Amino acid sequence: AQSVAQPEDQVNVAEGNPLTVKCTYSVSGNPYLFWYVQYPNRGLQFLLKYITGDNLVKGSYGFEAEFNKSQTSFHLKKPSALVSDSALYFCAVRDAGAGNNRKLIWGLGTSLAVNP
Amino acid sequence: DAGVIQSPRHEVTEMGQEVTLRCKPISGHNSLFWYRQTMMRGLELLIYFNNNVPIDDSGMPEDRFSAKMPNASFSTLKIQPSEPRDSAVYFCASSSGQGFRGTEAFFGQGTRLTVV
């Protein structure tokens, strides 16, 4: 069965420090992996995705994520956190071999708090 | 493009009443998704359409929920009769598959439904 785990409900980091939001996944085939961010009272916004190719993916707002097939992980990172990065972050996966099924499997989200 | 447009933004209704949520996807997108977000369950996929056809409705909680997509530019999610446990934020999202399953979805601002 496909699944996504975000092991931390909340991550706290000081402004200017590097941040990591963790995500691990399970799919039967190759994964398509996504990160989304949700600000209060807003819809989810796409940050970045891994489809194929380079394991290090760069996205919006200075975020990047590294695909690690052996560890089935896709952790979100940023070298220097901003207070404005405080939000809810979601990881999602789709099985690349799942025919025409576009259904994403979502993690429960990680709340990131960046302290000034 | 104005993005995915949902209406209303907020809805307060009495238990037993019919509720209709509306969504206009991004022009040219051929996949549409309805999600529900609650604190307890996180983000749940209710149903998704591909080329106006419902593909997977396994997430629809019960027969009180129904969704339609009469054309490529409009979809509705109806709850009849509504119950307090239906209170949640409902998101609509769309994506452009173009035969490539790795495309990301774009979310609307959501409808916050409160059933009293």
Side-chain angles (χ1 to χ4, degrees), chain A residues 32 34 36 38 41-46 49 51 88 90 94-104 106-108, chain B residues 9 30-31 33 35 37 41-43 45 48 50 56 58 91 95 97 99-105 107-109 112:
Chain A
Y32 292 151
F34 303 81
Y36 284 79
Q38 184 180 27
N41 301 313
R42 304 290 298 274
L44 279 73
Q45 297 178 33
F46 168 75
K49 65 183 178 184
I51 302 301
L88 190 58
F90 290 93
R94 177 184 296 138
D95 189 335
N100 202 32
N101 190 332
R102 302 180 192 284
K103 183 175 181 178
L104 277 174
W106 294 85
L108 293 179
Chain B
R9 288 294 310 276
N30 62 345
S31 294
F33 308 81
Y35 286 91
Q37 185 178 38
R41 295 185 173 180
L43 196 62
L45 177 66
Y48 86 90
N50 198 33
D56 186 342
S58 59
F91 288 105
S95 71
F100 179 50
R101 297 178 297 279
T103 51
E104 61 273 20
F107 282 73
Q109 298 277 53
R112 182 174 295 277

Side-chain angles (χ1 to χ4, degrees), chain B residues 6 8 10 18 37-38 59 74 85 100 104 108:
Chain B
Q6 291 186 246
H10 302 272
E18 177 181 295
Q37 185 178 38
T38 61
F74 184 65
R85 60 193 169 115
F100 179 50
E104 61 273 20

Side-chain angles (χ1 to χ4, degrees), chain B residues 81-99:
Chain B
S82 58
E83 297 182 3
R85 60 193 169 115
D86 301 331
S87 297
V89 180
Y90 291 81
F91 288 105
C92 176
S94 70
S95 71
S96 171
Q98 295 181 342

Side-chain angles (χ1 to χ4, degrees), chain A residues 18-83:
Chain A
L19 70 87
T20 299
V21 183
K22 296 179 180 178
C23 172
T24 59
Y25 66 90
S26 174
V27 295
S28 56
N30 291 319
Y32 292 151
L33 292 153
F34 303 81
W35 275 104
Y36 284 79
V37 60
Q38 184 180 27
Y39 297 101
N41 301 313
R42 304 290 298 274
L44 279 73
Q45 297 178 33
F46 168 75
L47 273 181
L48 51 79
K49 65 183 178 184
Y50 170 81
I51 302 301
T52 187
D54 194 345
N55 289 344
L56 184 63
V57 178
K58 293 187 183 297
S60 306
Y61 313 120
F63 284 93
E64 58 187 30
E66 185 165 13
F67 170 60
N68 187 316
K69 188 172 184 177
S70 63
Q71 297 185 3
T72 61
S73 67
F74 190 56
H75 301 332
L76 182 69
K77 299 182 180 184
K78 187 173 182 179
S80 178
L82 300 173
V83 173

